[in-house]
């Protein structure tokens, strides 16, 4: 074999290696429709009143490229947790203000309630920011230390966090199932990784996200969260009381009190309702993402807690 041919083969091999090492982009991701849930299915583009709504495929591919990129190396994963302040109310951050709900929030607008304090390395007297419950992070230290060192995946930066707010989930978990919630178009898509850069669309459905209506209703927060908990029936209170008003079936909690769930039933002993005319219209919930009840069950059965992601886009 001549020297020129050897050099040419070496050049091609080098290009292939560089391509493999380069971060993936939306252009690298393929999405193929292979529905495992086919009820109430929406088209990729569909009419809504006098407008047109869509599934934002380019933005979805960007998020899936991000999911692939952070999993290209082995990570020791953890989840930030403080549902209903069960791990203790986070201390006040250095710079805070009271938001539209008259609750304390940091400079990025993340509320103190149900959040986790984030400290700069070596500055552990007062936190700088709050991390949302359900945020995915990498462990940079053992999780047995009083202050655990983490690197954000769902959030930016490296931080120290009191260990009671950090739940380690190990280095063998893979995030190959993702639920995409679009609060602009009020729809939801479930996708599953088939192989490198190839994802299958499992469902495309209408949804209803959280609305801005203080003090009880809040918008569904944007970002990426770990699906943390499942309830076959999630009971809820009447606003401002401790009286159980009803339940939502097949609830999948991903951050704070936000669940992906079926149609609410305003009767604790009522029967499950399959569909509501309001799905896919305008934000109406308290923070949760409402679906057809059979679609919520599809997600409930299809995913495992701490092994799937919910990504909320606008």
């Amino acid at each position: 074999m001549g020297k020129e041919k050897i050099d040419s083969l070496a050049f091609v091999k080098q290009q292939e290696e560089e391509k493999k090492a380069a971060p993936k982009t939306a252009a690298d991701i393929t999405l193929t429709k292979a529905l495992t849930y086919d009820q109430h299915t929406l088209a990729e583009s569909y009419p809504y009143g006098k407008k047109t709504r869509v599934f934002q495929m380019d933005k979805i591919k960007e998020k899936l490229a991000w999911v692939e990129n952070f999993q290209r190396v082995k990570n020791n994963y953890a989840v930030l947790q403080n549902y209903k302040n069960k791990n203790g109310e986070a201390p006040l951050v250095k710079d805070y203000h009271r938001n539209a709900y008259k609750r304390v929030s940091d400079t990025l607008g993340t509320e103190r309630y149900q959040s986790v304090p984030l400290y700069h390395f070596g500055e552990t007297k007062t936190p700088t920011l709050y991390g949302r419950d359900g945020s995915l992070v990498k462990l940079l230290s053992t999780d047995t230390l009083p202050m655990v060192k983490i690197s954000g995946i769902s959030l930016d930066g490296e931080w120290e966090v009191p260990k009671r707010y950090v739940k380690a989930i190990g280095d063998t978990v893979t995030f190959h199932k993702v639920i995409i919630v679009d609060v602009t178009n009020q729809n939801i898509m479930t996708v599953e990784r088939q192989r490198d850069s190839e994802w299958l669309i499992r469902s495309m459905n209408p949804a209803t996200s959280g609305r801005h209506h203080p003090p009880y209703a809040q918008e569904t927060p944007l970002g990426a969260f770990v699906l943390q908990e499942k309830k076959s029936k999630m009971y809820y209170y009447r606003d401002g009381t401790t009286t159980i008003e009803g339940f939502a079936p097949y609830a999948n909690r991903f951050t704070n009190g936000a669940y992906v769930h079926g149609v609410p039933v305003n009767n604790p002993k009522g029967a499950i309702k399959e569909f509501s005319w309001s799905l896919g219209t305008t934000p109406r919930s308290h923070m949760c993402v409402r679906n057809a009840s059979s679609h919520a069950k599809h997600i409930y059965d299809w995913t495992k807690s701490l092994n799937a992601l919910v990504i909320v886009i606008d």
Side-chain angles (χ1 to χ4, degrees), residues 215-229:
Y216 302 112
Q218 301 179 47
E219 299 94 332
T220 306
L222 303 179
F225 308 96
V226 178
L227 194 158
Q228 300 182 72
E229 180 185 10

Side-chain angles (χ1 to χ4, degrees), residues 18-231:
E18 288 176 354
K19 185 177 180 181
K20 287 180 182 178
K24 295 186 185 300
T25 67
D28 298 313
I29 302 297
T30 61
L31 271 173
T32 304
K33 188 182 289 188
L35 302 182
T36 52
Y37 175 88
D38 60 2
Q39 299 180 57
H40 317 294
T41 303
L42 297 171
E44 185 175 328
S45 174
Y46 55 95
Y48 177 73
K50 295 181 179 179
K51 299 180 179 179
T52 298
R53 283 187 170 172
V54 298
F55 284 87
Q56 300 185 71
M57 293 301 188
D58 288 342
K59 189 174 286 189
I60 290 169
K61 288 179 180 179
E62 286 177 8
K63 298 302 182 184
L64 296 179
W66 170 79
V67 171
E68 292 221 356
N69 284 333
F70 78 71
Q71 295 187 92
R72 294 177 78 177
V73 296
K74 192 172 185 179
N75 296 306
N76 197 8
Y77 295 110
V79 184
L80 301 185
Q81 293 190 324
N82 199 21
Y83 178 49
K84 293 185 177 179
N85 282 353
K86 286 184 177 179
N87 295 321
E89 183 179 40
L92 282 172
V93 291
K94 295 175 184 176
D95 298 310
Y96 66 89
H97 65 276
R98 296 194 181 275
N99 62 16
Y101 302 99
K102 299 189 184 222
R103 292 178 178 165
V104 168
S105 59
D106 64 17
T107 54
L108 300 180
T110 303
E111 288 188 356
R112 179 188 192 187
Y113 178 58
Q114 301 190 98
S115 286
V116 172
L118 303 177
Y119 297 81
H120 282 305
F121 285 3
E123 298 179 9
T124 55
K125 288 186 177 180
T126 306
T128 299
L129 293 174
Y130 295 124
R132 290 190 186 278
D133 171 80
S135 295
L136 179 66
V137 300
K138 299 182 228 179
L139 287 177
L140 300 180
S141 70
T142 174
D143 64 332
T144 60
L145 295 172
M147 295 294 288
V148 179
K149 292 184 177 180
I150 59 115
S151 176
I153 297 177
S154 293
L155 48 89
D156 293 329
E158 295 184 349
W159 307 93
E160 289 190 77
V161 178
K163 69 177 180 180
R164 67 182 179 274
Y165 298 105
V166 180
K167 180 177 180 61
I169 56 176
D171 60 2
T172 60
V173 63
T174 54
F175 298 101
H176 289 175
K177 293 181 178 181
V178 180
I179 300 106
I180 308 283
V181 176
D182 185 334
V183 299
T184 297
N185 290 281
Q186 294 292 285
N187 59 41
I188 186 169
M189 175 187 286
T190 59
V191 295
E192 184 171 4
R193 188 175 186 268
Q194 181 74 358
R195 57 182 64 88
D196 185 41
S197 302
E198 296 182 18
W199 292 75
L200 302 178
I201 299 171
R202 295 311 196 185
S203 65
M204 301 171 69
N205 276 77
T208 301
S209 63
R211 62 174 176 156
H212 180 85
H213 193 257
Y216 302 112
Q218 301 179 47
E219 299 94 332
T220 306
L222 303 179
F225 308 96
V226 178
L227 194 158
Q228 300 182 72
E229 180 185 10
K230 292 170 175 285
K231 296 179 180 178

